[in-house]
Amino acid sequence: MSAPKKLFIKTYGCQMNVYDSERMAEALGTKGYEQTTDADQADMILLNTCHIREKAAEKMYSELGRLKQFKLAKPEMKFAVAGCVAQAEGGEIIERQPMVDLVVGPQSYHRLPKMADAIDRGEKAIDTDFPEEDKFEELKDRPKARRAPSAFLTVQEGCDKFCTFCVVPYTRGAEVSRPVDRILREARELVERGVAEINLLGQNVNAYHGEGPDGDWTLAQLIREMATIEGLERIRFTTSHPRDMEQDLIDAHGDCAKLMPYLHLPVQSGSDKILKAMNRGHTREEYFALIKRIRDVRPDLLLSGDFIVGFPGETEEDFMDTMDLVEQVGFGQAYSFKYSTRPGTPAAERAQVDEDVKSERLQRLQALLGKQQKAAQDAMVGRETTVLFEKQGRDPGQLIGKSENLHAVHAFADKSLIGTVRRVRVIKSLTNSLTGELI
Ligand code: SF4
């Protein structure tokens, strides 16, 4: 038997890319590849790219330039580019950087084994199709190795919302939901492999409408059915759009014990004028009303958000509307960025806000969000929560896990508790984590 080939994957961007990287590693596993953490030892280096950040394509080309040293030292090394930049750039990548052997888009990576054969024959392989066949079905036989206690499971892909700043509808295509039975089968397999928490993923996960046994199911129906899987202790989902936050999903937050009290619900801006310019499809008042309905059923839910400052046309008054929204809503977690143009999106063509103004606004917003985040974490001290222990900490005898609200929690506990959910009393709030003790 020949020695396994080594595969080094570098993943950029969101959790969906983390999930895709796992599945790509599994697909290439059928061709004898095993993952390595040493890029210089690899037989194949795969960059799973993200198009959300500014100048994503340029950054990928400079990363390839940096990695060229490995190719010079080991000429038989193969290079692959996957993800949203691969989708957007296609064969152009090989034209600009001929050491790249393979370019595969997010919808066609189930074809990787065949593509790996082609590059072994010395050919170049490019596939950025949106194929008819279901990639997850093609990949359904996952290896049965033991898994970490928390896993991602993609249930929905693509987006039809066309926010004017975003490339996702162009790189990932239209909204598609996976059928219920296939998701449940994958969830059961994950639980058999030691997974206690599943995070359902989708670009617009709450737009989920997958084929069920009796017509299309909503995300809430899917979650309730998943909650019946014995051994599955926790369910989460991300990322949601306010427009798709239907009442049945809100109700599930109130009565489905396995659904964790954490919700990432991006709002991006607190100004009605900017929300409209972004094509978000809702107003600030509608967002307030939605948050109230959610908190009415689950008062301890920790809310997370995304914000863009300096969107084209944003005045100081618009920005102060965002600050006011943050003050009124209160976020336990948030991601905030300066607006930056994405070629091909409508907002890229508009008059831009001065960079210094954007930086100054971002500073003010992050100071406020940071204060709220710390306050939410500090408020946990003295409370009891459950923690799913995921791994050993740096200190001997210490484990690290996640609370129901997704706070990182350190506690002294036997390592046999990894993979289990335990009750913990929070005793200290540190910079980015909590310290707890087992009850
Ligand atoms: S909802 Fe908007 S921001 Fe989210 S993926 Fe779709 S277009 Fe992009």
Side-chain angles (χ1 to χ4, degrees), residues 59 103 112 154 249 280 310 351 358 364 371:
K59 284 181 183 152
V103 176
L112 270 173
T154 294
L249 188 54
R280 293 290 292 172
K358 286 187 207 171
R364 276 189 279 161
K371 212 167 76 188

Side-chain angles (χ1 to χ4, degrees), residues 47-62:
L47 301 181
N48 189 12
T49 59
C50 167
H51 213 307
I52 294 289
R53 296 278 168 274
E54 194 178 11
K55 302 193 180 85
E58 289 315 309
K59 284 181 183 152
M60 178 202 65
Y61 287 117
S62 71

Side-chain angles (χ1 to χ4, degrees), residues 159-163 165-169 203-204 241 268 280:
C159 181
D160 302 335
K161 302 282 189 297
F162 289 95
C163 296
F165 53 82
C166 183
V167 288
V168 166
Q203 257 97 27
N204 259 296
H241 194 293
Q268 310 295 3
R280 293 290 292 172

Side-chain angles (χ1 to χ4, degrees), residues 37-304:
T37 50
D38 299 318
D40 58 339
Q41 301 296 314
D43 296 289
M44 185 192 291
I45 291 187
L46 189 156
L47 301 181
N48 189 12
T49 59
C50 167
H51 213 307
I52 294 289
R53 296 278 168 274
E54 194 178 11
K55 302 193 180 85
E58 289 315 309
K59 284 181 183 152
M60 178 202 65
Y61 287 117
S62 71
E63 177 69 2
L64 286 169
R66 201 184 63 77
L67 292 168
K68 205 169 179 175
Q69 48 168 322
F70 298 139
K71 176 87 175 169
L72 294 174
K74 191 176 174 184
E76 69 280 14
M77 188 184 275
K78 306 286 186 202
F79 280 83
V81 178
C84 290
V85 178
Q87 187 67 40
E89 300 275 302
E92 172 87 22
I93 296 174
I94 295 177
E95 271 166 43
R96 271 188 68 176
Q97 182 47 273
M99 78 169 183
V100 173
D101 303 282
L102 186 158
V103 176
V104 64
Q107 299 309 336
S108 37
Y109 63 71
H110 55 292
R111 296 174 175 167
L112 270 173
K114 276 199 185 130
M115 297 174 81
D117 286 342
I119 64 172
D120 278 347
R121 293 193 297 269
E123 299 164 16
K124 299 280 184 191
I126 304 168
D127 193 335
T128 52
D129 284 355
F130 286 92
E132 283 291 307
E133 72 269 15
D134 177 351
K135 73 175 175 227
F136 298 111
E137 269 306 282
E138 306 282 322
L139 292 167
K140 69 180 171 215
D141 295 322
R142 296 178 82 144
K144 301 285 181 262
R146 195 105 187 126
R147 290 283 311 254
S150 183
F152 296 123
L153 199 173
T154 294
V155 300
Q156 180 276 339
E157 288 188 288
C159 181
D160 302 335
K161 302 282 189 297
F162 289 95
C163 296
T164 53
F165 53 82
C166 183
V167 288
V168 166
Y170 311 100
T171 57
R172 291 263 178 171
E175 282 173 8
V176 180
S177 297
R178 294 178 66 193
V180 169
D181 58 344
R182 295 179 193 169
I183 295 168
L184 292 175
R185 184 181 65 208
E186 195 173 329
R188 285 192 198 98
E189 278 173 12
L190 287 169
V191 172
E192 280 165 23
R193 294 168 59 194
V195 168
E197 174 181 274
I198 291 180
N199 196 338
L200 303 174
L201 294 182
Q203 257 97 27
N204 259 296
V205 71
N206 57 344
Y208 177 84
H209 272 97
E211 185 193 335
D214 46 8
D216 277 3
W217 277 23
T218 62
L219 185 67
Q221 284 174 288
L222 179 68
I223 287 169
R224 288 180 198 283
E225 189 60 32
M226 281 184 68
T228 66
I229 298 176
E230 212 176 311
L232 179 61
E233 309 260 7
R234 293 174 155 193
I235 302 168
R236 304 182 186 275
F237 61 90
T238 198
T239 288
S240 301
H241 194 293
R243 267 166 62 190
D244 294 315
M245 207 64 207
E246 302 291 346
Q247 192 57 44
D248 65 342
L249 188 54
I250 295 174
D251 291 342
H253 270 292
D255 59 33
C256 180
K258 289 187 181 179
L259 183 58
M260 291 295 101
Y262 178 93
L263 179 63
H264 183 61
L265 196 62
V267 61
Q268 310 295 3
S269 170
S271 151
D272 279 339
K273 182 187 98 192
I274 298 299
L275 286 169
K276 191 155 184 245
M278 288 176 165
N279 193 32
R280 293 290 292 172
H282 65 82
T283 63
R284 63 187 259 128
E285 285 308 322
E286 283 162 349
Y287 190 77
F288 287 139
L290 181 57
I291 299 303
K292 181 176 179 316
R293 277 161 58 211
I294 297 165
R295 286 187 168 147
D296 280 349
V297 302
R298 192 76 208 230
D300 64 338
L301 178 135
L302 189 137
L303 190 70
S304 163

